[in-house]
Amino acid sequence: MSLHISDAVIWQETGDGISLYHSESGDFRTLNATAAQIWALVESDGDRETVITNLSLLFAGHNPVMTARIRAEVDAFITSMIEADLIEETDAEQKEAGTQAVRSEPAARS
């Protein structure tokens, strides 16, 4: 599954994290430093497992208990962002078949 930030989201990094605005719903959110790190990994990597792996290596090392906790928290965060239409998740097969629109880079990022 591939993740990407919705084209309707305008976002910007701040000193405290990341500020998000969904231009279609009017939803405004501020992500703390941890959530901002997940957001940035989604933006650069676009894959749930890669995000989880990178954060697990960074914060858990080889501790399986911490890795499981990170997996659960990252999954919960990404799921909440998908439900709020801030992040979109597509099946790789859909993307290859051309049923998913080509994503343009977010022009509103500053």
Side-chain angles (χ1 to χ4, degrees):
M1 297 298 244
S2 178
L3 300 169
H4 66 273
I5 296 167
S6 168
D7 290 336
V9 174
I10 299 167
W11 62 282
Q12 139 180 350
E13 294 181 46
T14 66
D16 296 326
I18 291 179
S19 294
L20 308 173
Y21 176 72
H22 193 282
S23 62
E24 294 171 0
S25 70
D27 187 20
F28 179 82
R29 297 180 187 211
T30 300
L31 304 180
N32 66 24
T34 304
Q37 194 165 24
I38 297 169
W39 183 270
L41 286 169
V42 167
E43 197 265 335
S44 66
D45 295 323
D47 178 74
R48 187 184 294 247
E49 284 303 314
T50 302
V51 171
I52 292 168
T53 299
N54 287 341
L55 287 175
S56 294
L57 289 173
L58 186 62
F59 293 110
H62 296 287
N63 182 325
V65 173
M66 288 301 296
T67 298
R69 183 174 177 185
I70 288 168
R71 172 175 294 283
E73 290 182 10
V74 169
D75 276 336
F77 173 78
I78 290 173
T79 298
S80 72
M81 295 291 106
I82 290 169
E83 289 171 354
D85 295 324
L86 298 169
I87 292 177
E88 297 170 353
E89 188 170 42
T90 56
D91 188 350
E93 291 175 11
Q94 286 178 323
K95 200 171 190 178
E96 288 176 15
T99 58
Q100 178 67 26
V102 175
R103 180 176 81 96
S104 61
E105 291 300 314
R109 182 177 178 208
S110 38

